[in-house]
Amino acid sequence: MLHGYTQSGPLFRSKTRALEKTLQKAFPGTTLTYPSGPIPLRASDIPGFQPSSTPSHHSSSPATTDSSTANREGAQSGTVNGEEEEPTAFAWWRRKDGSSGPVYTGIEEGLARVAQTIRSEGPFDGAIGFSQGGCVAPMVASLLESGRREAMDALHAREEAQMRFPSSFLTGEGVKGQGGKEGEEGSPVQIQEPLKFVVQYSGFRAPAEFYDGFYEPRIRTPVLHFLGGLDTVVDEGRTRALIDACEEGEGRVIVHPGGHFVPSGKAQLDVVVGFIRECLKGENGERKNEEESVEDMDVPF
C-alpha cells in the first residue's frame, strides 16, 4: 500500500480502512503492508504553505497543487512555539523542474525503500497506490517484469538521458520464496517474481523522457485504474498517459464521481475485489480463455 505525497504509511492506512477490511474479508489471510516514503517533509517544504501568524499546535494542512501529486489530506508537520516538529509527512521523491522536463529528486531512494520492504516482508502478490504512490506502484510492477532490466539498460546505452535499472531491485541470491528464478551463474536477478496485479488511484505517468524505460515496452502486469471525475490535483491527461502505457489499460478504467481520494463505496470496492480475484485466478491457471474487461466483471454497476 503506497501512500501519496505528504502522507505516510500509518496515515494512508487510517484513510483506507474500508478497503483493507474488504480485502481481508474477500481474501482471508491477506496482509497489507504500509511503508512510508523515505523523504521527510515539513510543512514549509510543501508548495502553497502559508506559515501561521499566530502560534498554534499544528499548522493547517495546505491545499497543495504540486503536479507531483501533493494531496489535500497530508502534511501533519508544523510548528510548536516557533520550532518545527518532527515530520510525519513523507514523499517517494520531490519534483523539480529541469531543462528537459520534470526531475524526480530522490526517486532512487524511494524505489529502494519499496525494494527494502519487498526483501523484508515480501514477496507480494500486488501493489495498491494512491496519487504519488499511484505512480510508484506501476513502476514497481514494471521493474519486476522479465526483460525490463535489459530494456532499461539498452535505452540508457543508446541515450544517457534515460534512467538505468535500479540496483535495489536486483539480487544475486535468486528470487525470495518463488522457487529461485535463477539467471546465469553469478548474475543478479529481480528481487521477486512479477506482481500479479496493481490498483492505482489518481496515479500518473512520469512525464520526462528520462523515465520512459518504465513504460517502454508497455507494462504487462494487469493494472486497474481509478480516476476521480472531480479530481483537481492530478490532471486526467496525466492518468490517461499512464493508462496508455499499460497493456489492455483502456479496459481497466473506473471513473468515480469524486475528487482526489481513494473511494470507499461498495461499488468501487467490489470492482477491486473482482479484479484481484480474476488476476489471482489467472495465476492459478483458471483464467478464462479470453481476458475479461472491468465492464464484463460481475460487479454492481
Side-chain angles (χ1 to χ4, degrees):
M1 298 289 289
L2 303 174
H3 64 79
Y5 187 76
T6 76
Q7 291 186 328
S8 66
L11 177 63
F12 189 43
R13 184 184 185 193
S14 72
K15 293 183 178 297
T16 56
R17 290 305 298 273
L19 176 60
E20 179 183 28
K21 291 178 181 178
T22 297
L23 293 179
Q24 290 176 336
K25 180 179 180 180
F27 306 101
T30 295
T31 300
L32 304 184
T33 300
Y34 296 79
S36 293
I39 300 174
L41 301 174
R42 299 184 185 276
S44 56
D45 291 327
I46 301 170
F49 169 69
Q50 296 292 331
S52 175
S53 58
T54 58
S56 63
H57 182 69
H58 281 294
S59 61
S60 61
S61 298
T64 55
T65 57
D66 174 36
S67 57
S68 66
T69 70
N71 87 64
R72 302 176 187 275
E73 302 173 337
Q76 300 297 309
S77 56
T79 61
V80 177
N81 297 325
E83 297 183 2
E84 290 201 42
E85 293 182 288
E86 288 298 314
T88 57
F90 299 87
W92 301 102
W93 59 72
R94 286 189 177 94
R95 172 180 167 138
K96 293 184 179 179
D97 291 328
S99 58
S100 58
V103 176
Y104 289 167
T105 303
I107 187 173
E108 292 84 0
E109 291 84 353
L111 292 172
R113 175 62 57 84
V114 177
Q116 178 186 21
T117 303
I118 292 174
R119 293 174 187 275
S120 62
E121 301 187 46
F124 294 100
D125 288 324
I128 299 174
F130 165 66
S131 198
Q132 192 180 71
C135 176
V136 177
M139 285 181 170
V140 171
S142 172
L143 292 174
L144 293 174
E145 291 178 349
S146 61
R148 184 65 59 177
R149 176 193 177 196
E150 294 78 6
M152 290 185 73
D153 287 348
L155 277 174
H156 177 79
R158 292 198 302 268
E159 186 176 353
E160 289 190 2
Q162 293 283 343
M163 183 172 173
R164 298 195 65 172
F165 191 94
S167 60
S168 59
F169 272 74
L170 294 174
T171 177
E173 301 176 356
V175 180
K176 180 180 177 182
Q178 299 292 329
K181 185 184 68 175
E182 301 290 351
E184 296 179 2
E185 184 176 357
S187 65
V189 295
Q190 280 102 325
I191 53 177
Q192 75 153 64
E193 292 286 341
L195 296 179
K196 300 170 185 175
F197 67 88
V198 168
V199 181
Q200 69 86 4
Y201 299 87
S202 299
F204 53 93
R205 173 175 173 154
E209 292 183 5
F210 184 75
Y211 308 106
D212 283 351
F214 289 106
Y215 313 107
E216 298 177 7
R218 291 197 297 173
I219 296 171
R220 301 190 303 274
T221 304
V223 181
L224 179 61
H225 308 269
F226 277 87
L227 293 81
L230 301 178
D231 192 340
T232 60
V233 178
V234 175
D235 181 77
E236 181 178 337
R238 300 185 65 198
T239 302
R240 292 287 179 185
L242 173 59
I243 293 168
D244 291 341
C246 300
E247 291 188 0
E248 302 185 30
E250 286 296 334
R252 297 175 175 140
V253 179
I254 301 297
V255 180
H256 67 87
H260 194 66
F261 59 83
V262 176
S264 57
K266 185 178 186 301
Q268 290 85 21
L269 294 175
D270 285 348
V271 169
V272 175
V273 170
F275 170 72
I276 293 175
R277 183 169 285 126
E278 286 299 317
C279 292
L280 297 181
K281 285 169 60 178
E283 286 298 316
N284 292 328
E286 300 173 7
R287 180 180 288 272
K288 297 175 183 179
N289 291 332
E290 296 183 0
E291 289 289 339
E292 186 175 35
S293 70
V294 169
E295 291 82 356
D296 296 330
M297 291 180 182
D298 183 19
V299 294
F301 258 33

